Amino acid sequence: MTQKVWVADTNFIYEGLQETFGQYKIALVSTVKQELDKHKTALSEELKWKARQANRFIFEHYDNFIHDTKEYNPEEILGEAYSRDIMDNRIVACAKENGYGILTNDLNMYTTAKDFGLEVKSYNEQDTTLEMYKGFKEVKLSSGELIEFNITSLGENVYDLNINEYLILTDELGNQEVFIWTGESHERVKENLRFTSDLLGEFKARDIYQLIAMDSIIRNQFTMIRGHAGTAKTQSALSYAIQEVRQGRNYDKLIVITNNLPAKNAWYNGWVKGSLLEKLMDSSIGNMLSSKLGDKDYVQDLVKANKLEIIPLSDVRGWEATPNSIVLISEAQNFNISAMQLAIQRIPETCKLIIEGDNETQLDDKSFEGLNNGMTRVSEIFKGQDYFGTVELQNIYRSQLARQADLMTRE
């Protein structure tokens, strides 16, 4: 199957080309190269810097691109209303003539490309056409149909589920049953799951979605949990991990990988002094662990006892997770594709991996948005693998304040 070719416009080359390099087969047209050359002598220092950086990157990866030197006449290809004096029109004409897609961050070019039926993608967009895999399907049935399903359909994939995808069946009386499709049959999910430890007490599901998350954590080597603030993403993951580590079952240590950024539109109050552990303990990951586990002393005691390890993303290359560990990637919305790939590649067979985050409302840097988000890519790549499960938690339980505050960023 021939790989689709995409023509990149200038603003995508400035913001998107390096970040998504390798994901697309890209054609560079002469119009764009001319604009890059012009920007090297622009009045704006920022624009000059971007142009020089882009030209160097293209030079270093020259053979990875298609170099299209043809001049396209948009008036002939698109129509008389589309002047060749406008560079964007020439790029759209190139895509139209060759059947290319377009990579752009420019809204006008985006809509123009759509007008001509071209496939178009943006590095910065939150792609609303991409509905992330929730990890479950919900179906409403009558009581009779629910009974019939249990009798006749447990061995048939009647709802076209992926392997390890969950099925929530609800009848008109509100009765619910939850199954997981194993690839061979629907297996009923146990309703009385509990995670218990001396540090966190008992954690049990407050709704069907949390139950799915708990089952996936137990069942699968790799689980991804998504949800807004207060849905118990971190609590469910930590409750399981601490239970296993404290009771010495199959896992000896909890390892937390963090890309420790300040919250969006927030700044650090000066430099944090001390050792790496002290710096981490005074950061967001340290605050999270302290608030969940009791206080900083508990966290540091676990570290000293070799039951807990906190690894910054910046130190992950060359590192490998300790065998028989549970690895938690926390606040995973702040990982782009390459960072997430790097972290996952550090996990050996005997470890369990849990990713938790909110890549819908809690992104702390624009470089993690849209198609470059690591959680989004995980959803696409691992969906249907027999060792992977995921769930999008639906309900906020932290407080009525948290539930109301969630509405502040919704349309």
Side-chain angles (χ1 to χ4, degrees):
M1 183 175 179
T2 304
Q3 184 180 3
K4 186 174 181 64
V5 176
W6 300 80
V7 57
D9 79 348
T10 309
N11 56 45
F12 188 91
I13 288 174
Y14 288 158
E15 189 171 348
L17 179 64
Q18 296 186 47
E19 293 85 351
T20 61
F21 185 66
Q23 294 180 44
Y24 305 106
K25 185 176 183 180
I26 293 178
L28 298 174
V29 298
S30 58
T31 295
V32 170
K33 289 185 176 181
Q34 291 165 17
E35 195 163 25
L36 290 176
D37 191 57
K38 182 178 70 175
H39 287 172
K40 287 192 300 184
T41 57
L43 293 177
S44 168
E45 291 297 325
E46 181 182 6
L47 191 56
K48 285 195 290 189
W49 181 84
K50 286 182 176 180
R52 289 168 181 162
Q53 289 290 106
N55 277 309
R56 177 172 292 277
F57 185 83
I58 292 168
F59 173 78
E60 292 173 349
H61 301 89
Y62 185 89
D63 292 336
N64 295 101
F65 299 103
I66 296 171
H67 299 272
D68 190 332
T69 59
K70 180 179 177 180
E71 285 290 337
Y72 294 89
N73 188 338
E75 296 175 9
E76 294 179 357
I77 298 170
L78 306 179
E80 294 181 358
Y82 295 89
S83 170
R84 72 178 312 278
D85 294 332
I86 298 175
M87 289 191 174
D88 286 358
N89 290 343
R90 288 188 243 167
I91 294 172
V92 175
C94 169
K96 179 69 173 175
E97 180 86 351
N98 296 287
Y100 295 163
I102 292 182
L103 301 172
T104 181
N105 296 324
D106 182 84
L107 291 178
N108 186 61
M109 181 179 286
Y110 192 105
T111 56
T112 301
K114 287 289 187 182
D115 289 343
F116 286 95
L118 300 175
E119 190 172 356
V120 56
K121 291 185 178 181
S122 168
Y123 169 62
N124 283 327
E125 72 179 334
Q126 274 293 29
D127 192 347
T128 56
T129 64
L130 177 62
E131 183 176 351
M132 273 198 69
Y133 177 55
K134 290 184 176 182
F136 62 84
K137 287 183 180 177
E138 296 184 89
V139 178
K140 292 185 178 181
L141 301 174
S142 67
S143 298
E145 289 171 330
L146 184 55
I147 293 171
E148 183 180 356
F149 177 86
N150 278 277
I151 296 172
T152 65
S153 300
L154 292 181
E156 300 178 19
N157 190 7
V158 293
Y159 295 108
D160 193 27
L161 301 174
N162 293 292
I163 293 176
N164 283 355
E165 187 172 7
Y166 291 86
L167 177 64
I168 303 171
L169 299 179
T170 307
D171 69 15
E172 72 274 13
L173 300 177
N175 298 313
Q176 286 187 320
E177 295 186 19
V178 186
F179 300 87
I180 183 171
W181 176 249
T182 66
E184 297 179 353
S185 66
H186 292 89
E187 182 178 314
R188 191 184 304 276
V189 174
K190 296 179 181 178
E191 298 180 0
N192 60 344
L193 298 178
R194 302 284 191 278
F195 297 154
T196 306
S197 68
D198 56 339
L199 288 182
L200 292 173
E202 182 180 75
F203 179 86
K204 58 183 180 180
R206 299 179 68 171
D207 61 33
I208 212 75
Y209 312 104
Q210 289 185 1
L211 180 67
I212 289 173
M214 295 174 73
D215 182 79
S216 181
I217 290 172
I218 295 169
R219 182 185 300 270
N220 295 308
Q221 183 190 11
F222 181 10
T223 293
M224 183 169 72
I225 308 173
R226 298 171 53 241
H228 291 194
T231 54
K233 304 181 299 297
T234 312
Q235 192 71 23
S236 57
L238 275 181
S239 294
Y240 174 80
I242 296 299
Q243 167 189 277
E244 297 300 296
V245 170
R246 297 289 278 187
Q247 295 183 13
R249 296 186 179 182
N250 298 315
Y251 303 100
D252 304 320
K253 178 193 285 190
L254 168 62
I255 300 173
V256 180
I257 300 177
T258 175
N259 191 13
N260 213 30
L261 298 178
K264 188 176 183 179
N265 299 321
W267 291 265
Y268 282 122
N269 294 314
W271 295 100
V272 179
K273 298 180 180 180
S275 65
L276 176 60
L277 178 59
E278 289 171 330
K279 292 177 188 292
L280 290 170
M281 290 305 301
D282 284 329
S283 69
S284 59
I285 191 65
N287 292 333
M288 182 277 285
L289 290 170
S290 298
S291 66
K292 301 293 185 186
L293 299 178
D295 60 31
K296 290 183 179 180
D297 290 337
Y298 280 122
V299 177
Q300 291 176 327
D301 287 345
L302 288 171
V303 173
K304 292 175 183 177
N306 200 33
K307 296 297 182 181
L308 172 65
E309 185 176 0
I310 308 171
I311 300 291
L313 177 62
S314 58
D315 296 342
V316 161
R317 191 177 299 280
W319 168 86
E320 182 176 312
T322 306
N324 303 317
S325 296
I326 297 172
V327 180
L328 172 62
I329 300 181
S330 182
E331 302 293 345
Q333 70 273 5
N334 290 330
F335 283 62
N336 65 17
I337 292 174
S338 59
M340 186 68 78
Q341 179 187 45
L342 175 64
I344 294 174
Q345 287 174 333
R346 305 294 95 197
I347 312 301
E349 288 290 348
T350 59
C351 288
K352 186 181 286 284
L353 173 62
I354 306 171
I355 290 177
E356 62 86 8
D358 175 11
N359 62 336
E360 182 178 351
T361 66
Q362 296 190 71
L363 299 169
D364 290 319
D365 191 278
K366 65 180 181 180
S367 63
F368 308 130
E369 293 177 356
L371 300 174
N372 198 41
N373 185 265
M375 293 184 73
T376 301
R377 190 62 173 160
V378 162
S379 178
E380 295 172 340
I381 293 299
F382 287 91
K383 176 175 65 177
Q385 299 299 310
D386 61 7
Y387 52 81
F388 174 75
T390 186
V391 60
E392 180 183 299
L393 300 178
Q394 303 293 301
N395 301 310
I396 295 171
Y397 291 103
R398 178 170 291 149
S399 66
Q400 64 177 350
L401 294 176
R403 286 191 293 275
Q404 194 67 19
D406 188 60
L407 302 177
M408 295 173 68
T409 54
R410 293 179 182 266
E411 293 182 358

PDB file of all heavy atoms in Angstrom, residues 154-171:
ATOM      1  N   LEU A 154     -22.803 -14.910  24.525  1.00  0.00           N
ATOM      2  CA  LEU A 154     -21.539 -14.747  25.243  1.00  0.00           C
ATOM      3  C   LEU A 154     -20.339 -15.130  24.384  1.00  0.00           C
ATOM      4  O   LEU A 154     -19.241 -14.597  24.570  1.00  0.00           O
ATOM      5  CB  LEU A 154     -21.548 -15.579  26.528  1.00  0.00           C
ATOM      6  CG  LEU A 154     -22.515 -15.103  27.622  1.00  0.00           C
ATOM      7  CD1 LEU A 154     -22.408 -16.006  28.845  1.00  0.00           C
ATOM      8  CD2 LEU A 154     -22.232 -13.653  28.011  1.00  0.00           C
ATOM      9  N   GLY A 155     -20.540 -16.023  23.429  1.00  0.00           N
ATOM     10  CA  GLY A 155     -19.433 -16.443  22.583  1.00  0.00           C
ATOM     11  C   GLY A 155     -19.367 -15.746  21.244  1.00  0.00           C
ATOM     12  O   GLY A 155     -18.521 -16.088  20.406  1.00  0.00           O
ATOM     13  N   GLU A 156     -20.241 -14.759  21.020  1.00  0.00           N
ATOM     14  CA  GLU A 156     -20.286 -14.054  19.747  1.00  0.00           C
ATOM     15  C   GLU A 156     -19.971 -12.572  19.948  1.00  0.00           C
ATOM     16  O   GLU A 156     -20.516 -11.930  20.852  1.00  0.00           O
ATOM     17  CB  GLU A 156     -21.673 -14.192  19.109  1.00  0.00           C
ATOM     18  CG  GLU A 156     -22.093 -15.627  18.824  1.00  0.00           C
ATOM     19  CD  GLU A 156     -23.497 -15.696  18.246  1.00  0.00           C
ATOM     20  OE1 GLU A 156     -23.965 -14.660  17.741  1.00  0.00           O
ATOM     21  OE2 GLU A 156     -24.115 -16.768  18.331  1.00  0.00           O
ATOM     22  N   ASN A 157     -19.151 -12.031  19.091  1.00  0.00           N
ATOM     23  CA  ASN A 157     -18.782 -10.612  19.193  1.00  0.00           C
ATOM     24  C   ASN A 157     -19.835  -9.761  18.475  1.00  0.00           C
ATOM     25  O   ASN A 157     -19.572  -9.137  17.436  1.00  0.00           O
ATOM     26  CB  ASN A 157     -17.388 -10.391  18.592  1.00  0.00           C
ATOM     27  CG  ASN A 157     -16.834  -9.009  18.885  1.00  0.00           C
ATOM     28  OD1 ASN A 157     -17.402  -8.230  19.646  1.00  0.00           O
ATOM     29  ND2 ASN A 157     -15.714  -8.697  18.266  1.00  0.00           N
ATOM     30  N   VAL A 158     -21.037  -9.730  19.053  1.00  0.00           N
ATOM     31  CA  VAL A 158     -22.176  -9.113  18.374  1.00  0.00           C
ATOM     32  C   VAL A 158     -22.071  -7.593  18.307  1.00  0.00           C
ATOM     33  O   VAL A 158     -22.718  -6.952  17.473  1.00  0.00           O
ATOM     34  CB  VAL A 158     -23.501  -9.512  19.060  1.00  0.00           C
ATOM     35  CG1 VAL A 158     -23.765 -11.000  18.874  1.00  0.00           C
ATOM     36  CG2 VAL A 158     -23.487  -9.153  20.546  1.00  0.00           C
ATOM     37  N   TYR A 159     -21.261  -6.983  19.164  1.00  0.00           N
ATOM     38  CA  TYR A 159     -21.131  -5.520  19.169  1.00  0.00           C
ATOM     39  C   TYR A 159     -19.782  -5.058  18.622  1.00  0.00           C
ATOM     40  O   TYR A 159     -19.376  -3.913  18.830  1.00  0.00           O
ATOM     41  CB  TYR A 159     -21.358  -4.977  20.581  1.00  0.00           C
ATOM     42  CG  TYR A 159     -22.778  -5.210  21.056  1.00  0.00           C
ATOM     43  CD1 TYR A 159     -23.059  -6.164  22.033  1.00  0.00           C
ATOM     44  CD2 TYR A 159     -23.832  -4.501  20.489  1.00  0.00           C
ATOM     45  CE1 TYR A 159     -24.369  -6.390  22.449  1.00  0.00           C
ATOM     46  CE2 TYR A 159     -25.141  -4.723  20.904  1.00  0.00           C
ATOM     47  CZ  TYR A 159     -25.396  -5.660  21.872  1.00  0.00           C
ATOM     48  OH  TYR A 159     -26.691  -5.885  22.277  1.00  0.00           O
ATOM     49  N   ASP A 160     -19.077  -5.953  17.922  1.00  0.00           N
ATOM     50  CA  ASP A 160     -17.837  -5.612  17.223  1.00  0.00           C
ATOM     51  C   ASP A 160     -16.827  -4.954  18.165  1.00  0.00           C
ATOM     52  O   ASP A 160     -16.303  -3.869  17.905  1.00  0.00           O
ATOM     53  CB  ASP A 160     -18.137  -4.687  16.040  1.00  0.00           C
ATOM     54  CG  ASP A 160     -16.947  -4.562  15.100  1.00  0.00           C
ATOM     55  OD1 ASP A 160     -16.136  -5.507  15.047  1.00  0.00           O
ATOM     56  OD2 ASP A 160     -16.828  -3.517  14.428  1.00  0.00           O
ATOM     57  N   LEU A 161     -16.539  -5.630  19.263  1.00  0.00           N
ATOM     58  CA  LEU A 161     -15.606  -5.117  20.261  1.00  0.00           C
ATOM     59  C   LEU A 161     -14.168  -5.483  19.902  1.00  0.00           C
ATOM     60  O   LEU A 161     -13.908  -6.519  19.289  1.00  0.00           O
ATOM     61  CB  LEU A 161     -15.928  -5.702  21.638  1.00  0.00           C
ATOM     62  CG  LEU A 161     -17.331  -5.438  22.193  1.00  0.00           C
ATOM     63  CD1 LEU A 161     -17.525  -6.214  23.492  1.00  0.00           C
ATOM     64  CD2 LEU A 161     -17.558  -3.955  22.418  1.00  0.00           C
ATOM     65  N   ASN A 162     -13.240  -4.633  20.298  1.00  0.00           N
ATOM     66  CA  ASN A 162     -11.831  -4.978  20.231  1.00  0.00           C
ATOM     67  C   ASN A 162     -11.493  -5.936  21.370  1.00  0.00           C
ATOM     68  O   ASN A 162     -12.209  -5.990  22.378  1.00  0.00           O
ATOM     69  CB  ASN A 162     -10.960  -3.722  20.361  1.00  0.00           C
ATOM     70  CG  ASN A 162     -11.096  -2.800  19.183  1.00  0.00           C
ATOM     71  OD1 ASN A 162     -10.681  -3.117  18.085  1.00  0.00           O
ATOM     72  ND2 ASN A 162     -11.685  -1.627  19.411  1.00  0.00           N
ATOM     73  N   ILE A 163     -10.413  -6.667  21.228  1.00  0.00           N
ATOM     74  CA  ILE A 163      -9.951  -7.498  22.341  1.00  0.00           C
ATOM     75  C   ILE A 163      -9.697  -6.599  23.547  1.00  0.00           C
ATOM     76  O   ILE A 163      -9.112  -5.518  23.435  1.00  0.00           O
ATOM     77  CB  ILE A 163      -8.667  -8.258  21.952  1.00  0.00           C
ATOM     78  CG1 ILE A 163      -8.977  -9.285  20.860  1.00  0.00           C
ATOM     79  CG2 ILE A 163      -8.053  -8.957  23.162  1.00  0.00           C
ATOM     80  CD1 ILE A 163      -7.762 -10.012  20.342  1.00  0.00           C
ATOM     81  N   ASN A 164     -10.181  -7.028  24.707  1.00  0.00           N
ATOM     82  CA  ASN A 164     -10.073  -6.302  25.974  1.00  0.00           C
ATOM     83  C   ASN A 164     -10.925  -5.032  26.018  1.00  0.00           C
ATOM     84  O   ASN A 164     -10.713  -4.170  26.876  1.00  0.00           O
ATOM     85  CB  ASN A 164      -8.621  -5.965  26.320  1.00  0.00           C
ATOM     86  CG  ASN A 164      -7.878  -7.179  26.849  1.00  0.00           C
ATOM     87  OD1 ASN A 164      -8.461  -8.241  27.045  1.00  0.00           O
ATOM     88  ND2 ASN A 164      -6.593  -7.031  27.082  1.00  0.00           N
ATOM     89  N   GLU A 165     -11.861  -4.891  25.102  1.00  0.00           N
ATOM     90  CA  GLU A 165     -12.813  -3.788  25.203  1.00  0.00           C
ATOM     91  C   GLU A 165     -13.992  -4.252  26.056  1.00  0.00           C
ATOM     92  O   GLU A 165     -14.432  -5.397  25.978  1.00  0.00           O
ATOM     93  CB  GLU A 165     -13.303  -3.360  23.827  1.00  0.00           C
ATOM     94  CG  GLU A 165     -14.165  -2.108  23.849  1.00  0.00           C
ATOM     95  CD  GLU A 165     -14.485  -1.564  22.467  1.00  0.00           C
ATOM     96  OE1 GLU A 165     -14.137  -2.246  21.473  1.00  0.00           O
ATOM     97  OE2 GLU A 165     -15.076  -0.475  22.378  1.00  0.00           O
ATOM     98  N   TYR A 166     -14.499  -3.333  26.874  1.00  0.00           N
ATOM     99  CA  TYR A 166     -15.569  -3.654  27.809  1.00  0.00           C
ATOM    100  C   TYR A 166     -16.937  -3.333  27.197  1.00  0.00           C
ATOM    101  O   TYR A 166     -17.071  -2.435  26.368  1.00  0.00           O
ATOM    102  CB  TYR A 166     -15.388  -2.886  29.116  1.00  0.00           C
ATOM    103  CG  TYR A 166     -14.187  -3.354  29.914  1.00  0.00           C
ATOM    104  CD1 TYR A 166     -12.923  -2.826  29.670  1.00  0.00           C
ATOM    105  CD2 TYR A 166     -14.314  -4.328  30.896  1.00  0.00           C
ATOM    106  CE1 TYR A 166     -11.814  -3.261  30.389  1.00  0.00           C
ATOM    107  CE2 TYR A 166     -13.215  -4.765  31.625  1.00  0.00           C
ATOM    108  CZ  TYR A 166     -11.973  -4.239  31.364  1.00  0.00           C
ATOM    109  OH  TYR A 166     -10.877  -4.669  32.069  1.00  0.00           O
ATOM    110  N   LEU A 167     -17.933  -4.065  27.658  1.00  0.00           N
ATOM    111  CA  LEU A 167     -19.312  -3.891  27.207  1.00  0.00           C
ATOM    112  C   LEU A 167     -20.192  -3.660  28.428  1.00  0.00           C
ATOM    113  O   LEU A 167     -20.251  -4.509  29.333  1.00  0.00           O
ATOM    114  CB  LEU A 167     -19.780  -5.130  26.441  1.00  0.00           C
ATOM    115  CG  LEU A 167     -21.244  -5.129  25.966  1.00  0.00           C
ATOM    116  CD1 LEU A 167     -21.474  -4.022  24.941  1.00  0.00           C
ATOM    117  CD2 LEU A 167     -21.617  -6.493  25.382  1.00  0.00           C
ATOM    118  N   ILE A 168     -20.857  -2.512  28.464  1.00  0.00           N
ATOM    119  CA  ILE A 168     -21.775  -2.178  29.546  1.00  0.00           C
ATOM    120  C   ILE A 168     -23.195  -2.310  29.013  1.00  0.00           C
ATOM    121  O   ILE A 168     -23.598  -1.571  28.110  1.00  0.00           O
ATOM    122  CB  ILE A 168     -21.539  -0.747  30.060  1.00  0.00           C
ATOM    123  CG1 ILE A 168     -20.093  -0.568  30.524  1.00  0.00           C
ATOM    124  CG2 ILE A 168     -22.510  -0.415  31.196  1.00  0.00           C
ATOM    125  CD1 ILE A 168     -19.723   0.874  30.849  1.00  0.00           C
ATOM    126  N   LEU A 169     -23.938  -3.261  29.544  1.00  0.00           N
ATOM    127  CA  LEU A 169     -25.321  -3.483  29.133  1.00  0.00           C
ATOM    128  C   LEU A 169     -26.260  -2.984  30.228  1.00  0.00           C
ATOM    129  O   LEU A 169     -26.107  -3.351  31.400  1.00  0.00           O
ATOM    130  CB  LEU A 169     -25.568  -4.968  28.876  1.00  0.00           C
ATOM    131  CG  LEU A 169     -24.731  -5.619  27.765  1.00  0.00           C
ATOM    132  CD1 LEU A 169     -25.068  -7.099  27.641  1.00  0.00           C
ATOM    133  CD2 LEU A 169     -24.927  -4.899  26.438  1.00  0.00           C
ATOM    134  N   THR A 170     -27.224  -2.156  29.848  1.00  0.00           N
ATOM    135  CA  THR A 170     -28.168  -1.574  30.801  1.00  0.00           C
ATOM    136  C   THR A 170     -29.584  -1.801  30.311  1.00  0.00           C
ATOM    137  O   THR A 170     -29.900  -1.496  29.150  1.00  0.00           O
ATOM    138  CB  THR A 170     -27.922  -0.060  30.965  1.00  0.00           C
ATOM    139  OG1 THR A 170     -26.550   0.173  31.279  1.00  0.00           O
ATOM    140  CG2 THR A 170     -28.799   0.519  32.062  1.00  0.00           C
ATOM    141  N   ASP A 171     -30.450  -2.337  31.188  1.00  0.00           N
ATOM    142  CA  ASP A 171     -31.843  -2.533  30.778  1.00  0.00           C
ATOM    143  C   ASP A 171     -32.702  -1.358  31.220  1.00  0.00           C
ATOM    144  O   ASP A 171     -32.206  -0.414  31.853  1.00  0.00           O
ATOM    145  CB  ASP A 171     -32.392  -3.878  31.270  1.00  0.00           C
ATOM    146  CG  ASP A 171     -32.570  -3.938  32.787  1.00  0.00           C
ATOM    147  OD1 ASP A 171     -32.543  -2.873  33.452  1.00  0.00           O
ATOM    148  OD2 ASP A 171     -32.763  -5.050  33.308  1.00  0.00           O
TER     149      ASP A 171
END
